Amino acid sequence: MHEVTAETSLQVMPEVPVQAPSLVEAAFEDVMTVAGDGDTTVADFVGEYTQRPDGSYEFVHAPLIRAMTEGAVLLIDDATLISAQVLAVAYTAMDGRRVVVKAQKGEVIKSGRRVLRVGGTTPGVYGAVLTEALSSRFSVQIHVGTSSGLRDLAVSAGW
């Protein structure tokens, strides 16, 4: 298992779409995933109220908050398909401040430890835009041309 001891971010941009999540899930035990598409909302990152069986409501945290509080890896799959307005909620957690405001009624979530974030993107997909704001939150960008290239990457990284 690959151990991450410092704040690390990785953006895997495969030309073979479905491989990045598999690579991350194979490399790390605890992965929280936000599946990106045009319908992804802030609630998909931070959480929302859900109804209990007794009819009352409770706030349930989503992958970003859970990754921050539980020390899991955060995988933002197809990150470039998520609108910039939605991604903005994650930026303060991704850029070193390790804070998210807006979780529940303005609740402030602070991560006591650094969170590994991985963003998977597929270049050339209609509507996919890698903004400077998103790109700057990843310290390493790896472009992989084939699924065998992903296997080679995993082996060379010790995963």
Side-chain angles (χ1 to χ4, degrees):
M1 194 58 58
H2 181 73
E3 181 178 342
V4 178
T5 56
E7 181 164 351
T8 308
S9 60
L10 170 69
Q11 178 183 11
V12 179
M13 299 184 354
E15 291 174 16
V16 180
V18 295
Q19 299 296 325
S22 302
L23 176 67
V24 174
E25 290 163 355
F28 300 99
E29 285 179 25
D30 200 5
V31 178
M32 305 285 174
T33 303
V34 174
D37 61 32
D39 295 327
T40 303
T41 66
V42 170
D44 294 323
F45 278 92
V46 298
E48 62 189 333
Y49 283 95
T50 59
Q51 191 170 18
R52 295 179 180 169
D54 67 3
S56 64
Y57 289 86
E58 71 176 319
F59 190 87
V60 177
H61 288 123
L64 172 61
I65 304 303
R66 291 179 50 218
M68 291 176 67
T69 58
E70 298 172 23
V73 172
L74 176 65
L75 169 61
I76 306 172
D77 192 21
D78 283 327
T80 55
L81 296 177
I82 302 170
S83 79
Q85 292 83 0
V86 171
L87 280 170
V89 75
Y91 289 163
T92 56
M94 296 172 67
D95 66 9
R97 289 177 273 181
R98 300 189 308 242
V99 173
V100 170
V101 179
K102 290 189 178 179
Q104 174 188 359
K105 297 181 185 175
E107 175 185 19
V108 176
I109 302 291
K110 293 183 180 183
S111 177
R113 55 189 304 197
R114 296 171 188 254
V115 176
L116 173 67
R117 323 54 82 207
V118 179
T121 64
T122 307
V125 170
Y126 178 77
V129 178
L130 179 59
T131 65
E132 180 61 31
L134 178 59
S135 179
S136 70
R137 264 73 180 185
F138 294 100
S139 55
V140 176
Q141 293 187 15
I142 300 171
H143 296 260
V144 181
T146 65
S147 59
S148 63
L150 281 170
R151 279 194 300 279
D152 296 342
L153 171 64
V155 170
S156 67
W159 296 333

